[in-house]
Amino acid sequence: METYDVVVVGSGAAGAMAALRAADAGLSVLVIEKERKFGGTSAVSGGVLWVPNHKLNGAQEDSREDALAYLDANITVPVDRARLEAYVDEAPRMLAFMTGTGVPVAAGVWPDYFPDAPGARSDRSLTVPTFDGRKLGDTRYPLMREQYNRFKLFGKYAMDLSETFTLMMQAKGWKRTVANIYRRYWLDRETRKLSHRDRRFTQGAALMGELYEKAFARGVELRTETRLEELVLGESTGTVGAIEVSNYGRRYRIAARLGVVLAAGGFEWNQQLRERFYPVPGLTRHSSTPEDANRGEALLAGERIGASTEHTGEGWWIPTMQLPMPGSANFHEIHQAAFDVGRPHSLCVNRKGVRFVNEATGYDRFGQAMVADELASGANCPCWLIFDAQFRAKFSAGGLMPDILMSDAKVPGDWWDHYVFRAESVAALAAKIHVPADALSASVARMNAFARSGIDEEFARGANAYDQMFGDPSVTPNPCLGTIEKGPFYAVPINNGDLGTKGGLRCDARARVLDADGQPIAGLYAAGNCAASPFGNSYPGAGATIGPALTFGYVAASDIIARAGNAGGRVAQEIEA
């Protein structure tokens, strides 16, 4: 049986960080990944990490106390206090370690998702600049999971967050941005001989490229097409000392001398687990994570040896819609609509034609509102995004691109009245989508009045910094509110999609997996969406999935290092409170 000091299950941000931290201390590390490509959900994400009190590049004074006050104000379910405080304390140390290995990180200007709460800030969300994927080597470069088409220009050209928002808003200079992206790609002739993939790894791919470049340099081994089947307990010790895996049907065991770190993602692609845990299960197909990837195998393997779970009734929600996949018969592509639902000249209604949420709120809170309204009214999930020609001219609606890029004449004929609905009046649109015409007309009329006054008297849309960040500054008096009065009128169905699951294996402040009695299972750790979120049901800010994934991957490896008595390697500098 093969033996490593540490075996990591899953190759996303949590797994990569655990591997990097352990290898940096001189331990032998194997990362297994069941898919053919590595990087996990993190590689196809926005790549943002939420780190309070980071002190990066002379950031304005944040503090442990402010961070905890902010979290206390927006977490509304019981959570493990020690674990929550461990996140606030260890996240800056993780960041210091990560930047110490050479990973560049920049602070953005992104309001926390509860901007009016005590302790809220606009500098806790961090990003990693563009990474040259060729640095991974010509063999590994095309094997990192590739960004979705929705994150690329014309489904081909990589874009960083700045470029994405410039094009999304058709901001000044957007045409020049398009030309520069196009030029960069086609002038890179050497890479075009190797792969269609842009060598510029952006957003989540940039983060994962940086982490794996450092991890591979420290001897971390990566094995793809290798699925976790069972966790193996020592007969006399009760310690997880090995895992059983499969590779194209062949099963074998790998020993872990010091510990196993589960970082294999959540369970959003397992319909049985959704039905078991979620009050409104939704469909796996509505998820915006890689198709059929996160099926909860690690959670189930943990439960079979007595592990407990928590916070499993919540996902990292995000509104999505689906459209036929170009060039592939009988396949559909999921498109995120996180910011589209809150653009001016639009509103969202349930199937009774009634608004139920501030559409410009954070995407997770939008999803929570969908669930609450479905439980209350039975007429949500899906809901409807309603907009007019003013919206259509400038903004996307999920995968329906703005008129300037995809005019109505260019929309495939089979989309109309099946994926996208269009009519010359609000009443006629209501008839097409089977929503009461009087209710929808009344909702539109109220929104028009709010747009003219600049005050949303129902849900206060556009009244805080987060809402306004994604509004249109050319629209006054409220950048998030615009009249819906210029025909034709449109509707697209919006599903309650997700970025993964918030609930998972219950862990302590040291990332150790706990049994039903709250006792650690020796040798077993979990991080990322495989573990329950330290934030319970809350989504405090952009990067609140990847921030804890990196942090508890780091914490797990640090605990293993401490137990091994191995003080070698690079140790993170202490961060003053």
Side-chain angles (χ1 to χ4, degrees), residues 196-365:
H196 76 281
R197 182 171 187 177
D198 199 321
R199 75 185 297 159
R200 296 175 69 251
F201 282 15
T202 60
Q203 303 182 44
L207 169 66
M208 300 310 295
E210 290 282 2
L211 290 177
Y212 273 104
E213 182 194 27
K214 278 66 178 176
F216 291 144
R218 287 161 175 76
V220 170
E221 295 184 37
L222 171 67
R223 196 171 298 174
T224 55
E225 296 101 40
T226 304
R227 178 189 301 269
L228 171 69
E229 298 291 347
E230 298 291 345
L231 298 166
V232 182
L233 288 172
E235 293 184 7
S236 60
T237 64
T239 298
V240 175
I243 61 172
E244 186 166 309
V245 302
S246 64
N247 168 256
Y248 293 108
R250 177 177 68 94
R251 293 175 73 120
Y252 63 100
R253 289 188 174 184
I254 304 170
R257 188 171 68 86
L258 298 176
V260 172
V261 181
L262 298 178
F267 59 82
E268 65 271 15
W269 281 93
N270 186 319
Q271 191 64 40
Q272 288 181 320
L273 290 180
R274 295 179 75 101
E275 300 283 346
R276 172 183 164 189
F277 290 127
Y278 285 165
V280 179
L283 297 177
T284 58
R285 192 68 191 91
H286 298 156
S287 176
S288 68
T289 64
E291 185 172 4
D292 208 31
N294 298 324
R295 295 183 51 81
E297 292 97 339
L299 182 150
L300 293 170
E303 285 191 322
R304 286 193 290 272
I305 65 166
S308 57
T309 61
E310 65 177 348
H311 304 318
T312 49
E314 291 280 352
W316 299 102
W317 306 124
I318 189 168
T320 63
M321 61 94 72
Q322 63 186 56
L323 286 172
M325 185 178 295
S328 299
N330 304 315
F331 285 90
H332 288 82
E333 189 171 10
I334 295 298
H335 297 269
Q336 294 177 356
F339 310 116
D340 302 343
V341 292
R343 304 293 191 197
H345 308 296
S346 73
L347 81 166
C348 288
V349 297
N350 62 18
R351 295 192 302 279
K352 295 181 178 181
V354 177
R355 284 182 76 204
F356 59 93
V357 69
N358 163 15
E359 297 90 339
T361 193
Y363 38 89
D364 183 65
R365 296 172 75 182

Side-chain angles (χ1 to χ4, degrees), residues 31 49 53 131 329 366 403 466:
V31 177
L49 44 153
N53 199 26
F131 173 77
F366 188 100
D403 183 76
Y466 177 83

